[in-house]
Amino acid sequence: MRNRFTAATLGLLLTTALLTGCNQSEEGTDAGPPVRARVDDSQAEIAGGACELLNFGVVHDFLDVEFNVSAAGEQKETITCVLQQGDAPWPDLRLAVSETSADADVFASDVKPDGAAVVKGLGKTAYQIVADPSGEHGPSAEIGWLSSNGRILMLRYTFAKDQQKAAATEIAPVLVDMAKDLDATLTTD
């Protein structure tokens, strides 16, 4: 039962981190420790945190999107990274990473969102889900997985408000490929 509680809590923390940003609440007020931000056209990883796993050039190769701002945050056992284009809030790419003792069954029952599709060939278990536009942003695609080295990762791309849900559906398989590349990097470290 302890693992279920830990995984459910972790899922909530990761979702909150992805939805609200590294240290901002939905109201835009400070909600945690300061983030490290970096504006640069070459090195997202300098911001630290989960940004150490990302690189603007590699992200561009996968998504064909130019990001030049990276911000990292940390909340308890979770590290995060948000990539953006200058002052524009969207599109953005978010990555959250947290250590866990959860197994594949706990991940599937407590972390994977309702309605998410199973992704084969990524970590111990994985999912993908596409969300409708909401509020000020457009649709999003999210990939979540349990790595073989005890980490839960969530990678989410959110479009600007002017995009249709079909755009998120199209980018989801690209995010899966990017997640597989990230997972290979994590498990060889």
Side-chain angles (χ1 to χ4, degrees):
M1 185 60 136
R2 181 175 166 87
N3 278 344
R4 285 195 179 279
F5 176 77
T6 302
T9 302
L10 175 63
L12 180 61
L13 284 173
L14 288 172
T15 301
T16 301
L18 284 170
L19 292 175
T20 62
C22 292
N23 79 325
Q24 297 258 317
S25 71
E26 290 180 9
E27 294 79 33
T29 58
D30 188 27
V35 298
R36 293 178 302 258
R38 171 77 177 170
V39 178
D40 188 315
D41 63 0
S42 63
Q43 297 179 326
E45 55 268 42
I46 289 176
C51 293
E52 292 178 5
L53 301 171
L54 299 174
N55 174 283
F56 289 132
V58 173
V59 169
H60 179 267
D61 289 347
F62 276 102
L63 303 176
D64 197 26
V65 175
E66 296 281 343
F67 289 110
N68 63 353
V69 175
S70 59
E74 184 174 346
Q75 185 71 28
K76 300 193 180 192
E77 298 297 319
T78 302
I79 56 173
T80 59
C81 179
V82 178
L83 302 184
Q84 293 181 315
Q85 298 174 325
D87 292 333
W90 294 284
D92 72 15
L93 180 69
R94 295 172 185 240
L95 175 65
V97 182
S98 188
E99 291 186 24
T100 185
S101 59
D103 62 17
D105 291 334
V106 170
F107 181 90
S109 66
D110 294 349
V111 178
K112 182 178 148 240
D114 291 337
V118 173
V119 173
K120 301 285 185 189
L122 175 58
K124 291 180 178 180
T125 186
Y127 70 83
Q128 75 177 31
I129 192 164
V130 173
D132 291 319
S134 176
E136 296 296 314
H137 64 78
S140 62
E142 177 180 293
I143 312 303
W145 72 100
L146 176 62
S147 69
S148 62
N149 63 351
R151 292 183 178 117
I152 291 177
L153 295 95
M154 292 181 184
L155 182 65
R156 178 184 290 174
Y157 185 89
T158 303
F159 286 89
K161 191 171 187 163
D162 62 342
Q163 292 292 320
Q164 300 297 315
K165 188 174 182 178
T169 301
E170 288 177 22
I171 206 166
V174 177
L175 286 176
V176 168
D177 289 341
M178 189 174 171
K180 288 178 179 179
D181 189 66
L182 281 168
D183 194 59
T185 300
L186 281 171
T187 56
T188 59
D189 287 348

